[in-house]
Amino acid sequence: MKRILVTGAAGQIGSDLVPALRAKYGNENVVAAAHATPLPAHVRGSGPHATVDVGEPAALRRALREHRVDTLYHLGSILSVLAEKQRHLSWRVNFEGLHNVLEASVEHDLKCVVVPSSIAAFGPETPADDTPNDTIQRPTTSYGISKVFGELMGNYYHRALGLDVRGVRLPGIVSWATEPTAGTTDYAVAIFYGAILNERYACYLEPDTRLPMMYMPDAIGALMQVAEAEGSALRHRADFNVGAMSFTPAELADSLRKRIPAFRMEYEVDPVRQAIADSWPNSLDDSAAREEWGWKPRYDMEAMVDDMLVHLKRKLRPD
Ligand code: AKB
């Protein structure tokens, strides 16, 4: 049986990944590690937890030792928008934190380390449509540079030190459990809160900004599936494109209007977030992930919108 530790367990993805891992491997075998943000009640109350600042190697090593961890999902990260504002924090968490995780994983002889990357690992010189898995990567954000660093370091630790590091380049993630607040793709979640609570939303991206997106159950599936994949079948390691859907704010608003006819979308464009979004791909070629470990998403935009509305209405208006 695996003993798993998840860093960033209080974040948008971590707070959904921990319950999924606990359902599969047993509550007591999955440690939820968080630092600055408190763990949500459903994560804190359902299994072991630890306070781990990934910038502090001693705390990380202690948690790995005390909980006898053999598998690590490293989700602790400062997302794109916050990383532009807080460069020191981004350095400490996204660069030093990753280095600490990899070193501690070698020391503790972990069997597998999953380090998610992002579409932010690409930049304005990358082909934007059907972005190939292996292509030019010259990101123009601190977060994007840290993601390329993570991919290269993951591949290096595997090749040079035999540490089994794996990762997928996640698109913008849409989910209803925990609202993201520090990323460029967050509009695709906030729009649902606006539509349900006020029948309107002011979008900070231009109406025709196309970005790759994914519904949370597929993101969780991708992270767990890549971790379980047969190692000998992998030609890539920490740098798999995974696609699911691509849409623009205007297309998502149209889809919501089909279900909430009174919904109104306005645009108050934020130049910082727009510039970041413009540097990222429109869509991804994920054939490497499909061929090497059988990646196949379940949700397209319409299925995602239906499911989001069911869950978020129940969460925001329980009666
Ligand atoms: C962000 O917008 O920063 C993240 C990402 C695409 O990695 N959601």
Side-chain angles (χ1 to χ4, degrees), residues 14 19 21 38 44 80-81 85 114 117 131 139 177 204 226 228-229 306 316:
L21 290 169
R44 196 181 172 85
S80 55
V81 176
K85 291 187 194 140
V114 178
S117 183
T131 299
Y204 55 76
V226 79
E228 294 289 344
D306 282 335
L316 298 176

Side-chain angles (χ1 to χ4, degrees), residues 116-122 137 143-144 147 151 168-172 280:
S117 183
S118 158
I119 53 168
F122 298 116
Q137 289 180 264
Y143 175 66
K147 288 301 179 189
E151 292 180 6
V168 291
R169 293 177 179 135
L170 292 172
W280 290 355

Side-chain angles (χ1 to χ4, degrees), residues 11 20 30 52 57 66 70 77 93 104 109 115 123 129 133 137 176 200 209 216 233 251 262 302-303 307:
V30 181
V52 174
E66 282 176 3
D70 56 40
S77 171
V93 175
D109 205 15
V115 179
D129 293 314
N133 204 93
Q137 289 180 264
W176 54 268
R200 60 197 297 163
T209 309
M216 184 64 90
E251 287 166 357
E302 298 298 337
D307 203 65

